[in-house]
Amino acid sequence: MILIGLKNIFARQLPNMPKEYIVRLLMDRKHKSVMVLRNNEVEGGIPLVVGGITYRPYHRQRFGEIAFCAISADEQVKGYGTRLMNHLKEHARDVDGLTHFLTYADNNAVGYFVKQSFTKEIYLEKDVWHGYIKDYDGVLLMECRIDPKLKYTNLASMISQQRQAIDEMIRELSNCQNVYQVAEFQKKEGGSSKNIRVEDIPGLRDAGWTSDQWGHTRYKLFSGSGDSVTKQKQLNALIRGLLKTMQDHTDAWPFIEPVDSVDVPDYYKIIKDPIDLKTIGKSVESEQYYVTLDMFVADARRMFNNCRTYNSPDTVYYRCATKLQAHFFSKVQAALQSGAKPQ
Ligand code: ACO
């Protein structure tokens, strides 16, 4: 009687399948069905069927063919299909001794099977399955390898245990779980308009920050003491000089202005993060954008990389990028050696 309940769901959800065919396979002793039954809900004394999968195990070849799979219309996309498949995989592996499933998936169910780790590639040797399973038209043969160890019915708690273990490890190694009340700190320091010293921001020192790491730069630029305002001024002067050496170089002409989308219509389709010397110049002029040398170097590097991405190596633009980049980095190195050392 329960199988009849499942037959009704298959008949409704798989309208292209002849009902007689569904009944024949479902009632066939070589086929097995795994079902979702609603607890405590009965219809005419029989538990209510929410959905199920009917499959045939081929024990000698150790694969199973899923013939039908469906969940009743009002219960779809609530996770029942996944739960059902997980139970099926575990049962088929532990009770039937299967290692693989094959199924002919309806086009509109391919997405569901992909999420249950079925693939469109068939890795099983054709000799193993060919001639055993029936061919269907307009459907896609898919395969799933059943993991030999995975506790499919316990995936959620396994993942949450793994997450917890990783979380505990992170907490041992870092103090990133500490939350500091920046709003209260701002109030105490006199509101958001006042300039706040980096080193006074709550939590920075606890996170291992020291004043040597001013601006989080890889480069220790200026020796000696000096407050952050002085250091920013020194940095701005250095960056302005580096920008000028690029602007004055004979190979700088392709980079002076942003690329014109009228002249090069597909440029912005290919280059998603464009930059040029004019744009960099505006950021330099603001005197607040580049708070580290790294940021400035990264923008310049992006400009050269963009050029080499869009243009092929035999173009004049590509050669300009390479030559200007070499010139730029030699100037950066020279600046670092004359007072600013990489940390
Ligand atoms: N297409 C694409 N993705 C789908 C589909 C679909 N038809 N159905 C479900 N999914 C996705 C869900 O969005 C969900 O994604 P998420 O994990 O990212 O949230 C994931 O697959 C699992 O969804 P469940 O809720 O576990 O699946 P559901 O309970 O809806 O069962 C099933 C899936 C069996 C395909 C059901 O939707 C159904 O009965 N459909 C109609 C009948 C059908 O097409 N059956 C398969 C025919 S092929 C055959 O029988 C061999």
Side-chain angles (χ1 to χ4, degrees), residues 44-325:
I46 296 155
L48 195 77
V49 183
V50 173
I53 295 178
T54 295
Y55 72 106
R56 174 167 177 179
Y58 289 90
H59 293 104
R60 197 166 54 81
Q61 290 97 324
R62 305 192 67 196
F63 81 91
E65 183 200 6
I66 294 179
F68 313 120
C69 162
I71 297 289
S72 68
D74 49 344
E75 301 290 2
Q76 286 174 11
V77 199
K78 291 183 183 172
Y80 288 120
T82 302
R83 205 169 158 77
L84 189 63
M85 187 63 81
N86 285 336
H87 275 273
L88 172 66
K89 284 177 185 168
E90 216 165 275
H91 177 90
R93 177 189 63 199
D94 300 343
V95 179
D96 299 322
L98 307 188
T99 58
H100 289 78
F101 271 120
L102 291 174
T103 192
Y104 279 101
D106 281 1
N107 282 340
N108 58 8
V110 169
Y112 160 76
F113 282 108
V114 166
K115 289 195 171 171
Q116 311 308 317
S117 66
F118 280 68
T119 59
K120 295 175 189 175
E121 291 78 30
I122 306 301
Y123 298 101
L124 267 179
E125 294 288 331
K126 203 168 178 184
D127 294 354
V128 174
W129 56 270
H130 193 64
Y132 288 92
I133 65 176
K134 190 170 151 46
D135 278 337
Y136 296 92
D137 289 336
V139 283
L140 181 71
L141 184 62
M142 298 183 81
E143 176 187 300
C144 170
R145 177 182 164 272
I146 307 171
D147 188 278
K149 286 203 207 121
L150 209 59
K151 286 193 164 49
Y152 282 103
T153 50
N154 206 17
L155 282 183
S157 86
M158 190 187 79
I159 290 169
S160 89
Q161 276 173 19
Q162 284 180 341
R163 234 180 233 160
Q164 201 181 334
I166 292 171
D167 203 41
E168 277 165 17
M169 229 180 255
I170 290 173
R171 275 159 203 267
E172 263 174 39
L173 297 173
S174 104
N175 52 12
C176 64
Q177 67 276 12
N178 295 344
V179 177
Y180 295 84
Q181 299 303 327
V182 177
E184 274 175 28
F185 165 74
Q186 274 191 343
K187 222 188 290 166
K188 209 172 87 196
E189 293 293 312
S192 56
S193 57
K194 194 180 151 203
N195 271 344
I196 291 168
R197 293 194 314 155
V198 175
E199 46 269 51
D200 292 341
I201 296 175
L204 275 193
R205 280 186 196 282
D206 296 350
W209 185 86
T210 64
S211 54
D212 302 355
Q213 293 171 339
W214 177 78
H216 293 274
T217 182
R218 279 194 300 125
Y219 302 111
K220 186 172 180 174
L221 287 169
F222 311 106
S223 52
S225 58
D227 61 14
S228 52
V229 176
T230 313
K231 284 177 173 171
Q232 178 74 56
K233 276 191 185 150
Q234 287 174 313
L235 176 67
N236 287 341
L238 172 68
I239 287 177
R240 204 172 276 124
L242 288 169
L243 176 65
K244 186 154 180 354
T245 73
M246 278 200 280
Q247 287 165 330
D248 292 347
H249 197 268
T250 49
D251 292 307
W253 57 269
F255 307 103
I256 297 290
E257 293 279 334
V259 173
D260 188 337
S261 60
V262 177
D263 296 342
V264 195
D266 64 346
Y267 186 79
Y268 292 99
K269 281 194 197 118
I270 294 165
I271 301 300
K272 295 295 177 205
D273 202 0
I275 189 121
D276 58 277
L277 291 177
K278 190 172 180 181
T279 310
I280 294 177
K282 281 186 194 158
S283 303
V284 173
E285 283 316 308
S286 79
E287 300 207 325
Q288 292 190 335
Y289 181 79
Y290 293 118
V291 293
T292 68
L293 180 61
D294 304 41
M295 288 173 69
F296 175 72
V297 171
D299 272 359
R301 199 190 295 275
R302 176 154 59 90
M303 184 177 78
F304 301 129
N305 288 344
N306 282 349
C307 178
R308 280 188 296 254
T309 302
Y310 183 82
N311 300 290
S312 60
D314 55 349
T315 59
V316 64
Y317 304 104
Y318 193 103
R319 284 196 291 275
C320 281
T322 304
K323 281 199 254 170
L324 187 59
Q325 178 168 356

